[in-house]
Amino acid sequence: MKIGLFIPCFMNELYPQAAMDTLKILENFELDVEYPMEQTCCGQAQANTGCAHETSILAKRFLNIFKKYDYIVSPGGSCVSMVRYNYAQFLEGMDGFEHIKNRTYELIEFIHDIIKPKALNVSFPHKVGIHNSCHAHRELGLASMSEKNVAPFSKIKDILDMVDGISYSTLKRNDECCGFGGTFAVNEEAMSIAMGKARIQDHLDAGSEYITGVDMSCLMHMQGIIDREKLPIQTIYIGQILAKGLK
């Protein structure tokens, strides 16, 4: 099984350790992983601001780079959602498009649905609150949505349940947006901050030591508020929890 590792551009620049931990996790499952050095951005930010031409260029670049791999895995739910649900308008009918559309996975989704481990040799003795980021939650389906009358489930929690010593906080609103939204945080700064503060307060009230999730962008937004307000809580990317103790 040949894996192409796609790292979101902001993670490559700002959170290289989280990116390296993603690679470490995949290699720990004895997978053959490659990081194509020519990769850039998935084009989500450009698409969200109406730059269709620029998005098309990036989508075609992604296709040409990654179509040769059995699976494409990324530590970014919103980037995976971009490939799976928004590339069709740029790539429909092109050779390899259906392959990347169906074989691009978010890291936890890939571990849960494809690798299906029975145990993880990892310990994290802390109380954690799970942040269900919007794209991963409502488009990728990593957990049940509160607005739907379905049996509750969480692929994120299924994987974290294999981590020794971990415990969970119970939130009042377990799938509410943190307010980041990429360019939304720039165009609607006051609203974005207010939503972020509300999300963090829910975790504080529930006794979370850490907020974790599958999208580093959401965690970056909340960590910025935490640092500015000097709040007694931290964020941690889920991959960094799973990489604890791995060599």
Side-chain angles (χ1 to χ4, degrees):
M1 187 188 297
K2 192 79 167 180
I3 308 298
L5 176 59
F6 177 69
I7 299 297
C9 49
F10 79 96
M11 284 185 70
N12 183 63
E13 297 297 325
L14 302 175
Y15 300 99
Q17 187 56 55
M20 291 301 296
D21 283 339
T22 301
L23 174 62
K24 187 187 298 184
I25 292 164
L26 293 172
E27 289 184 335
N28 189 64
F29 288 119
E30 299 183 349
L31 299 171
D32 184 6
V33 185
E34 282 187 0
Y35 173 79
M37 293 298 292
E38 64 271 30
Q39 66 178 272
T40 54
C41 176
C42 71
Q44 180 189 187
Q46 292 81 354
N48 290 346
T49 49
C51 299
H53 174 68
E54 290 79 2
T55 306
S56 176
I57 293 171
L58 291 167
K60 290 171 183 174
R61 182 181 180 86
F62 185 100
L63 172 64
N64 290 330
I65 292 169
F66 286 100
K67 65 182 180 180
K68 66 181 180 180
Y69 295 103
D70 297 316
Y71 289 95
I72 303 102
V73 179
S74 175
S78 61
C79 295
V80 171
S81 179
M82 177 68 189
V83 174
R84 199 179 292 176
Y85 298 109
N86 294 285
Y87 268 12
Q89 59 189 304
F90 308 106
L91 304 177
E92 193 75 66
M94 295 183 66
D95 179 53
F97 169 60
E98 289 299 323
H99 176 74
I100 67 162
K101 176 183 175 182
N102 296 319
R103 292 297 187 100
T104 301
Y105 281 78
E106 183 278 325
L107 175 65
I108 298 304
E109 179 187 37
F110 181 74
I111 295 172
H112 185 280
D113 293 358
I114 306 300
I115 302 301
K116 300 178 182 178
K118 300 299 182 184
L120 297 172
N121 186 23
V122 180
S123 176
F124 192 71
H126 298 283
K127 191 173 186 178
V128 169
I130 297 173
H131 175 67
N132 292 301
S133 50
C134 297
H135 286 89
H137 192 61
R138 292 184 166 81
E139 291 198 319
L140 301 185
L142 263 64
S144 52
M145 295 170 265
S146 59
E147 63 268 26
K148 289 191 174 183
N149 185 23
V150 297
F153 71 90
S154 173
K155 296 180 182 181
I156 298 171
K157 189 173 182 297
D158 285 347
I159 298 301
L160 287 177
D161 280 347
M162 289 184 258
V163 175
D164 291 340
I166 199 166
S167 60
Y168 306 101
S169 55
T170 301
L171 306 175
K172 293 178 182 177
R173 304 177 304 280
N174 66 1
D175 59 358
E176 188 173 281
C177 180
C178 70
F180 177 61
T183 52
F184 175 81
V186 178
N187 297 327
E188 299 289 347
E189 178 186 355
M191 180 64 73
S192 175
I193 293 171
M195 292 172 71
K197 286 183 176 180
R199 191 85 302 277
I200 295 165
Q201 191 60 53
D202 194 6
H203 284 274
L204 288 169
D205 292 344
S208 303
E209 295 177 68
Y210 289 91
I211 304 172
T212 194
V214 302
D215 271 293
M216 194 69 234
S217 53
C218 299
L219 301 177
M220 174 180 68
H221 175 58
M222 290 187 282
Q223 189 63 54
I225 296 172
I226 289 166
D227 290 344
R228 186 178 182 86
E229 301 293 327
K230 297 180 171 56
L231 300 174
I233 192 171
Q234 292 293 310
T235 62
I236 183 169
Y237 173 59
I238 190 169
Q240 292 178 282
I241 294 176
L242 300 183
K244 295 286 184 183
L246 299 181
K247 296 182 179 179

